[in-house]
Amino acid sequence: MLLQIWHARGDCPRGIADVHRAGEAALDLDVADRTRALTDALAAMGVDVARARAFGALAYTHGGAFDDAIDLLRGVDRDACDDLATRTLCDVVALGALIDKGAQDAPDGTALRGRLEADVAELRESRRDVLLGRALGTLGRVELHSRRPDSALPLLHEAIEAHREREPHEVPRSRMYYAMALRMSGEPEEALDELRRAQRELETLTRPYSGEYEASCRPFIEYELARTLVALERYEEALEPATRAIEDCGPAAWPALGLYRTRAWTLRMLGEAQAADDDTKAARAARAKLPDGMEAADRIVEESEGLPTDSGEVY
């Protein structure tokens, strides 16, 4: 009954789609803070709030508050949780937060990866494909961010197939990561084919499910498309998706930061030095909105001042 009242008030997201509908960092953090307060109160009354904490943590990650996400999940007694779905969701969100921090290879990240691999083994046996796709995609992202794209490719391909079975609206997002692994592996032409396919799937698979979710995925796919076109030295073509994605980002700092860097590259290669410098200034402003200590973000700002770097980088 308490949980029914909680959802009726609208204080806690019911699922991942609700987190995506928040749309902006300030709203994501507001959802997360309200979820934390309510789960703390309900946990003190003996209510199982593990799954709700996972959704609250996911909202924190969308707002860039990765440490808050990890801290919220520390309130979940994972070993006491008998539900495979809840355990997997907590592991996916926690490992995702560490990936976003660049800490996936730290001891906590290694331990979480082992737990998620165990989850995947159980999910394969139970054929619960909804969570299987999310778990495989997260493991694939670990490999990407650890600069092991060849290891990421089979995980991300399996994630696409798992999503196709049960969550087709997630296929374009997983395909984007698959394309990223191809680009990092030195196969930008194949990556471009996958990204064109992901763009079509956004229209046919994701938009019918949720216009809000489709809108949240589109800038990331456009970003990777621009990144891949730069890798192919097709600079004029890269300008259009980069500019379109920057406009779609609104006030969000990410992926706007990476997009400004990518567009600055293209402008410099096209001889538009002043416009490129303007994008570097915009990249610095976007970086200022992100948490301190994000080395990848600092590196992206520095890269925006020069010419295109190795296409084997994640971002």
Side-chain angles (χ1 to χ4, degrees), residues 218-301:
R218 186 172 296 281
F220 291 91
I221 292 175
E222 298 274 14
Y223 175 25
E224 183 57 29
L225 176 60
R227 188 76 171 83
T228 299
L229 287 168
V230 168
L232 288 165
E233 300 183 2
R234 292 161 61 171
Y235 302 114
E236 289 188 5
E237 291 179 65
L239 276 178
E240 183 178 349
T243 300
R244 193 163 53 229
I246 287 170
E247 292 171 353
D248 288 344
C249 283
W254 188 260
L257 170 58
L259 282 158
Y260 283 123
R261 184 274 316 269
T262 302
R263 193 170 69 175
W265 282 345
T266 67
L267 290 166
R268 283 202 178 85
M269 295 304 293
L270 294 171
E272 300 288 341
Q274 184 57 59
D277 289 344
D278 290 342
D279 271 356
T280 294
K281 291 178 183 177
R284 291 194 188 101
R287 171 63 186 95
K289 298 179 183 179
L290 294 170
D292 293 335
M294 294 183 68
E295 294 181 5
D298 294 332
R299 187 174 67 249
I300 287 171
V301 172

Side-chain angles (χ1 to χ4, degrees), residues 126-143:
S126 66
R127 299 192 62 79
R128 296 178 72 164
D129 294 330
V130 171
L131 286 165
L132 178 60
R134 296 184 187 279
L136 288 164
T138 302
L139 290 173
R141 288 183 63 216
V142 169
E143 299 303 309

Side-chain angles (χ1 to χ4, degrees), residues 53-303:
R53 284 192 192 276
F55 291 132
L58 183 62
Y60 272 131
T61 66
H62 287 193
F66 308 121
D67 288 333
D68 286 327
I70 294 166
D71 184 60
L72 182 57
L73 286 171
R74 287 195 182 102
V76 175
D77 186 351
R78 184 190 180 281
D79 294 333
C81 182
D82 294 327
D83 181 55
L84 173 60
T86 299
R87 288 201 312 274
T88 302
L89 181 62
C90 289
D91 292 340
V92 163
V93 176
L95 186 52
L98 289 177
I99 292 169
D100 290 334
K101 283 187 65 177
Q104 70 278 353
D105 292 325
D108 285 351
T110 301
L112 270 168
R113 177 182 172 183
R115 289 204 290 267
L116 192 54
E117 287 172 343
D119 296 335
V120 164
E122 286 191 63
L123 289 165
R124 283 183 174 131
E125 288 186 11
S126 66
R127 299 192 62 79
R128 296 178 72 164
D129 294 330
V130 171
L131 286 165
L132 178 60
R134 296 184 187 279
L136 288 164
T138 302
L139 290 173
R141 288 183 63 216
V142 169
E143 299 303 309
L144 283 177
H145 284 255
S146 298
R147 310 309 194 270
R148 297 187 292 264
D150 290 345
S151 297
L153 283 167
L155 291 165
L156 295 168
H157 186 270
E158 188 179 354
I160 291 170
E161 296 307 312
H163 282 314
R164 192 190 308 282
E165 291 276 329
R166 296 289 294 276
E167 282 191 317
H169 59 276
E170 292 286 356
V171 167
R173 190 178 181 89
S174 287
R175 193 177 301 284
M176 175 198 68
Y177 287 119
Y178 184 68
M180 187 183 294
L182 287 169
R183 190 248 306 157
M184 292 173 65
S185 298
E187 300 291 347
E189 290 284 2
E190 290 185 36
L192 184 60
D193 290 342
E194 293 295 328
L195 290 164
R196 297 298 191 197
R197 188 173 178 182
Q199 286 181 308
R200 296 192 295 271
E201 289 168 336
L202 269 182
E203 301 290 337
T204 60
L205 300 178
T206 307
R207 180 176 290 180
Y209 165 77
S210 166
E212 294 94 337
Y213 189 41
E214 182 263 345
S216 74
C217 291
R218 186 172 296 281
F220 291 91
I221 292 175
E222 298 274 14
Y223 175 25
E224 183 57 29
L225 176 60
R227 188 76 171 83
T228 299
L229 287 168
V230 168
L232 288 165
E233 300 183 2
R234 292 161 61 171
Y235 302 114
E236 289 188 5
E237 291 179 65
L239 276 178
E240 183 178 349
T243 300
R244 193 163 53 229
I246 287 170
E247 292 171 353
D248 288 344
C249 283
W254 188 260
L257 170 58
L259 282 158
Y260 283 123
R261 184 274 316 269
T262 302
R263 193 170 69 175
W265 282 345
T266 67
L267 290 166
R268 283 202 178 85
M269 295 304 293
L270 294 171
E272 300 288 341
Q274 184 57 59
D277 289 344
D278 290 342
D279 271 356
T280 294
K281 291 178 183 177
R284 291 194 188 101
R287 171 63 186 95
K289 298 179 183 179
L290 294 170
D292 293 335
M294 294 183 68
E295 294 181 5
D298 294 332
R299 187 174 67 249
I300 287 171
V301 172
E302 292 177 7
E303 290 173 351

